[in-house]
Amino acid sequence: MVEASSDTAPTPSQSKSLLKRLAGPSSTKAGLTNDQSDINRITAEASKGSKYYENEKKKDKELTERIKRLLQTQNTAMKEADLAQVESTVSHVLVEIESLRDTSQIIVHIDADAFFANCELLYNPDLKGKPFGVGKGVLTTASYEARKFGVRSGMAAFIAKKLCPELILLSIHPQRYSDMSKKVMAILARYDPNMLVASCDEAYLNITEYCVQHNVTAEECVSEMRRIVQEETKLTVSAGIAPNRMLAKICSDKNKPNGQFHLPFNSQAIKDFMVDLPVRKVPGIGRVLERMLESIGVTTCGDIFTHRVSIALLDKEFGLRFMLQTYLGIASNVVRPYLREERKSIGAERTFHPLADKDKILQKLEEVAEELENDMTETGWAGRTVTLKYKLDDYQVFTRAKSFERWITKKVDLFATGKELLLPELPLKIRLIGLRVTKLKDLKLSTDSGIKRYFSGPTEQTSPRKKRKISSENNQDVDYNWQNCILLDGDEEDCKTLEDELLSLTKPASPRASAAPEGAAPTHESKPVSAKAAGKKRSIESQISCPLCGEKLNTNDNQKVNAHIDFCLSREAIQEADGQSPDAKAKSKSQANAWSWFLDPKTKPRSKGK
């Protein structure tokens, strides 16, 4: 191993953060030892001198500089703002959010225990009690015996071997995991046919109706569910029972493996549960946001209240409403399958040992194009924008994109576009290549005329520039923000390819499908979950927004929808809907400057409700 030179060695404070960063995104996995200082040191020593180490050191340094700028902004804002008014306003926001708390629904998060590892145990029982991992290059999971040594998913195999010399490494068998996933999900569907499949080994259920119909408690229902899964599949699952999805996911990790945790359904119990919870345990808060929050003194959810003024002044970085909802333990309790119309992109990618030969790189690109064509044909999608993604051997990620006026779906077009975007960049040495298609058209939609066609988005002849943005109260971009609010770096890209493959085999729509295109510039703003969505009760009614006036319309009543659209058209409201009216522009400007008045002590606070 090559030692880092003295002029590039990280500072002591940076060394501490770098060690933690090198530990990887899954350092909070169940089954790992609490004190990971020795594990982090070994991981860093084993990585030192590699391109991965240098890239992580670079990212850590960039984050350190970003935090310095953040603290400077905080200091300036604290001097210039009317802090009493800021605190008063935040208090009103807290009261408003608390009034939206809904504990009427029983939400359960089911998470299979070391899923890939336990699937392998079914085929090789001799592995029981032994430390082993699944994956030869990068581990996709590790047995609980291996986790005691610090071995975890997303870890390079050679580092895992240093932590646990007797570690057994197994090859990946996607079809096995897909088959077992289908069996587990089929059992869970007995309790909630409208459950949300989050990945191949986890799901959200609303068991409120089931418990009423069968006269059982939530504890009894979940215990039975877990018992049947174990009897019929020989796999164990853990569960969290809570009033919303965020809390349920956190609770499912409390008594792993093969356990369940029931959080009391009252406001004070939830607040007591959250107050000492490390912010890193909250879904959507990763390594980057954790460290940024640490810099202003926030390490637990209880600290959010203590530092609420600072968070309000730094709303752009943290998202005040999201953080306050986290502190209160309030999030969405809507559980339903992902809808096709929520999908924003479809893609495929390959990770491999670094390649520099042009022909071999193009061969990988062709394989990706073929896989993507198969996926698009099977799932019924076409798109207008093709994005090429590639990762260099030093782990830097780049993207290039090209848009078309026609729909793209065939391998020949995908490969030709990817090649056109890649060739000007060569020579390169890359370890990952991928293609992603966005601006999608659903080929499975019927070609209905009339109002349904009007709402269906662009047709073959529609200009992309004139495509209307259709929003929905139940849109997953809003409804799922607590889980996707901060994704600043590709923490688990090396494991993501396998997960995508499994999800395509099990056929639920992936949460990633709703995200921005792979390789797109990451957002540095947390997006608070819609309080309205968080507080509303479960509904199976479908709603759309009128593209002219924005009013919510129930699509179960086509006659009323038609009548409403006719009325709006007769008022010539299209200009206003496109944001050209003075009122629309004023509203947009007002939203953009929502918190700017904090920095002007002469400005009076807005009255409640305005």
Side-chain angles (χ1 to χ4, degrees):
M1 291 289 180
V2 180
E3 293 292 333
S5 59
S6 58
D7 57 333
T8 61
T11 62
S13 60
Q14 189 182 341
S15 295
K16 183 179 179 181
S17 61
L18 180 59
L19 284 175
K20 196 170 182 180
R21 183 179 184 88
L22 288 166
S26 57
S27 57
T28 58
K29 284 279 188 180
L32 295 171
T33 178
N34 291 328
D35 184 7
Q36 299 186 36
S37 53
D38 287 340
I39 295 171
N40 293 348
R41 179 182 55 78
I42 295 171
T43 301
E45 288 297 323
S47 307
K48 192 173 291 184
S50 67
K51 291 184 178 180
Y52 170 76
Y53 179 89
E54 293 303 319
N55 188 58
E56 290 300 298
K57 187 169 74 173
K58 177 185 174 183
K59 287 183 178 179
D60 184 74
K61 185 177 180 180
E62 290 172 351
L63 181 56
T64 299
E65 292 300 319
R66 181 181 172 190
I67 289 174
K68 286 181 180 178
R69 295 193 296 271
L70 176 75
L71 295 178
Q72 290 172 357
T73 302
Q74 180 193 24
N75 290 336
T76 302
M78 293 290 277
K79 292 176 182 177
E80 296 180 359
D82 185 337
L83 301 184
Q85 291 293 354
V86 175
E87 186 171 343
S88 174
T89 302
V90 174
S91 296
H92 281 94
V93 175
L94 277 168
V95 172
E96 176 203 340
I97 295 174
E98 178 61 41
S99 70
L100 298 168
R101 187 185 297 277
D102 181 6
T103 57
S104 65
Q105 305 299 302
I106 306 173
I107 310 301
V108 179
H109 180 254
I110 298 291
D111 191 6
D113 301 319
F115 183 57
F116 295 175
N118 282 335
C119 286
E120 293 295 338
L121 275 174
L122 299 178
Y123 292 86
N124 191 353
D126 293 340
L127 291 171
K128 188 173 183 179
K130 298 178 182 178
F132 69 92
V134 179
K136 294 296 183 72
V138 176
L139 300 190
T140 60
T141 193
S143 67
Y144 282 95
E145 289 76 16
R147 295 184 189 190
K148 294 174 183 177
F149 294 88
V151 178
R152 50 185 170 260
S153 62
M155 179 175 280
F158 77 93
I159 295 177
K161 276 284 191 179
K162 285 186 177 293
L163 292 171
C164 180
E166 57 269 25
L167 183 71
I168 302 169
L169 295 178
L170 305 177
S171 297
I172 297 171
H173 300 97
Q175 193 59 50
R176 293 180 181 177
Y177 317 142
S178 173
D179 292 342
M180 296 310 300
S181 175
K182 290 176 182 176
K183 291 180 181 179
V184 173
M185 297 305 166
I187 295 170
L188 301 183
R190 301 172 193 172
Y191 297 86
D192 181 9
N194 294 313
M195 69 178 183
L196 167 62
V197 179
S199 72
C200 62
D201 65 343
E202 63 176 318
Y204 295 91
L205 298 84
N206 187 328
I207 61 170
T208 310
E209 293 179 15
Y210 184 93
C211 290
V212 172
Q213 291 172 359
H214 294 80
N215 194 26
V216 293
T217 65
E219 287 270 15
E220 292 169 342
C221 176
V222 174
S223 294
E224 177 191 275
M225 189 188 308
R226 292 176 43 249
R227 175 181 56 78
I228 292 176
V229 168
Q230 186 169 11
E231 288 176 355
E232 296 188 16
T233 68
K234 309 303 178 188
L235 297 174
T236 63
V237 298
S238 296
I241 308 167
N244 61 58
R245 297 205 314 258
M246 178 186 74
L247 293 174
K249 184 172 177 65
I250 295 170
C251 291
S252 67
D253 202 50
K254 293 287 287 183
N255 288 326
K256 267 185 167 289
N258 196 21
Q260 63 188 61
F261 182 86
H262 185 185
L263 182 63
F265 281 41
N266 67 76
S267 176
Q268 191 57 50
I270 293 171
K271 291 177 185 176
D272 292 342
F273 175 78
M274 296 298 292
V275 70
D276 293 322
L277 185 77
V279 290
R280 182 64 187 277
K281 292 285 187 181
V282 177
I285 297 183
R287 296 181 291 179
V288 173
L289 183 56
E290 177 192 29
R291 193 173 158 212
M292 291 174 65
L293 286 168
E294 254 179 27
S295 71
I296 63 169
V298 177
T299 58
T300 67
C301 293
D303 293 332
I304 294 172
F305 182 79
T306 305
H307 298 278
R308 60 194 181 281
V309 172
S310 293
I311 293 172
L313 295 174
L314 299 171
D315 177 53
K316 183 178 179 182
E317 293 288 349
F318 299 119
L320 177 64
R321 289 190 74 92
F322 167 74
M323 297 307 299
L324 293 181
Q325 286 179 221
T326 298
Y327 161 69
L328 293 172
I330 295 176
S332 174
N333 62 3
V334 178
V335 174
R336 58 170 176 79
Y338 291 109
L339 303 178
R340 279 183 64 83
E341 56 264 33
E342 293 169 347
R343 185 157 197 165
K344 305 301 180 187
S345 67
I346 182 171
E349 59 185 40
R350 287 275 192 279
T351 301
F352 38 81
H353 291 294
L355 295 174
D357 183 84
K358 183 180 81 170
D359 293 336
K360 292 182 178 179
I361 292 174
L362 290 177
Q363 181 183 347
K364 293 291 184 183
L365 179 63
E366 189 171 11
E367 291 173 5
V368 170
E370 183 175 2
E371 179 186 344
L372 183 51
E373 179 197 35
N374 293 337
D375 288 347
M376 294 179 73
T377 301
E378 183 179 350
T379 55
W381 296 103
R384 278 198 170 122
T385 298
V386 178
T387 301
L388 169 75
K389 171 186 173 183
Y390 60 89
K391 182 187 290 186
L392 301 181
D393 62 330
D394 62 0
Y395 293 85
Q396 293 186 77
V397 178
F398 297 90
T399 60
R400 300 289 184 267
K402 181 178 180 179
S403 295
F404 297 84
E405 290 298 319
R406 59 189 175 89
W407 298 109
I408 301 296
T409 185
K410 297 298 182 183
K411 170 190 170 183
V412 60
D413 293 323
L414 294 167
F415 177 65
T417 306
K419 183 177 179 180
E420 178 186 343
L421 296 170
L422 178 64
L423 288 180
E425 309 296 326
L426 297 179
L428 293 172
K429 192 172 185 180
I430 64 177
R431 66 187 312 274
L432 177 148
I433 195 163
L435 291 171
R436 186 158 293 270
V437 177
T438 54
K439 296 185 180 177
L440 298 180
K441 175 183 179 180
D442 189 349
L443 300 179
K444 291 188 176 182
L445 279 180
S446 61
T447 56
D448 292 337
S449 59
I451 194 66
K452 289 186 178 179
R453 184 181 182 89
Y454 184 78
F455 280 111
S456 64
T459 61
E460 191 78 37
Q461 291 76 27
T462 304
S463 168
R465 296 177 189 173
K466 295 182 180 179
K467 180 174 70 174
R468 295 186 182 277
K469 184 176 181 182
I470 306 299
S471 62
S472 169
E473 185 178 330
N474 287 337
N475 192 295
Q476 206 74 355
D477 290 341
V478 175
D479 197 36
Y480 217 51
N481 275 334
W482 61 264
Q483 194 169 17
N484 295 318
C485 65
I486 296 293
L487 295 173
L488 297 180
D489 50 7
D491 285 338
E492 300 188 36
E493 283 183 349
D494 293 323
C495 292
K496 182 174 70 66
T497 304
L498 173 66
E499 184 179 342
D500 285 342
E501 182 177 352
L502 289 170
L503 285 171
S504 68
L505 288 169
T506 53
K507 292 298 180 292
S510 167
R512 273 192 203 95
S514 299
E518 289 291 332
T523 174
H524 299 301
E525 293 186 26
S526 62
K527 299 179 181 179
V529 68
S530 166
K532 191 173 183 180
K536 70 186 178 185
K537 297 188 179 181
R538 197 181 194 200
S539 172
I540 61 173
E541 288 187 350
S542 175
Q543 284 190 327
I544 53 177
S545 295
C546 173
L548 303 176
C549 69
E551 182 177 335
K552 300 297 181 183
L553 305 174
N554 185 353
T555 56
N556 293 334
D557 192 335
N558 285 334
Q559 186 175 358
K560 286 186 178 179
V561 172
N562 282 321
H564 178 92
I565 296 298
D566 289 340
F567 177 72
C568 283
L569 288 172
S570 68
R571 294 172 55 192
E572 298 182 348
I574 295 176
Q575 184 179 11
E576 182 180 13
D578 284 338
Q580 300 301 316
S581 70
D583 289 344
K585 290 181 179 179
K587 182 180 179 182
S588 176
K589 184 176 181 181
S590 174
Q591 291 173 341
N593 299 314
W595 292 96
S596 60
W597 65 274
F598 276 155
L599 301 180
D600 186 358
K602 298 179 182 179
T603 305
K604 293 182 179 181
R606 295 165 292 180
S607 61
K608 187 177 180 182
K610 294 185 179 180

